[in-house]
Amino acid sequence: MSALDGRDGVTSLDALRARRNELARQVAALTFDLGGLTYEMATRDHYRLDVLSRRAAALQAADAELGEVERLLAAAEDGVVGACRSCGAVHSRGASFCWQCGQPLLAAAAS
């Protein structure tokens, strides 16, 4: 049974859409923040690569999650297959590994 079947499907899709909107807002804010931070460091001719790296990593993580949520929403027409047994993140049909924790989603074939 799909994670988006029945009444739970509407709720799950609504939750994914809400998450997509929140992540899009977050990515925009992090992008703006990183650009402003870089500009301020440039005007002072004093770069803190550790600070820039941390901010860029936060942006990259949010952007990766946004991409996965958008992919899941696009695949919702075909149906979301289920959730990761390890962390609970939803995954779409054909996913081999969890986008959130990296755990394999396919059961090992029995010999």
Side-chain angles (χ1 to χ4, degrees), residues 5 11 16 39 67 86 88 106:
D5 286 342
T11 303
L16 279 175
Y39 174 77
S86 178
L106 304 174

Side-chain angles (χ1 to χ4, degrees), residues 32-77:
F32 183 76
D33 184 46
L34 182 59
L37 180 63
T38 304
Y39 174 77
E40 288 297 322
M41 287 181 180
T43 60
R44 289 167 175 73
D45 197 26
H46 180 75
Y47 290 93
R48 293 272 318 269
L49 295 181
D50 60 323
V51 174
L52 290 173
S53 293
R54 279 195 308 272
R55 298 286 176 94
L59 172 57
Q60 186 178 20
D63 192 42
E65 186 177 353
L66 175 60
E68 181 63 16
V69 168
E70 287 175 339
R71 187 177 71 82
L72 287 171
L73 283 170
E77 294 172 358

Side-chain angles (χ1 to χ4, degrees), residues 1 7-9 11-13 16 21 27 36 39 48 54-55 67 69 72 75 85 88-89 91 102-104 110-111:
M1 178 180 246
R7 283 183 271 171
D8 290 338
T11 303
S12 296
L13 280 176
L16 279 175
N21 294 340
V27 165
Y39 174 77
R48 293 272 318 269
R54 279 195 308 272
R55 298 286 176 94
V69 168
L72 287 171
R85 292 181 302 274
H91 61 84
Q103 292 296 314
S111 305

Side-chain angles (χ1 to χ4, degrees), residues 75-88:
E77 294 172 358
D78 296 333
V80 169
V81 174
C84 174
R85 292 181 302 274
S86 178
C87 70

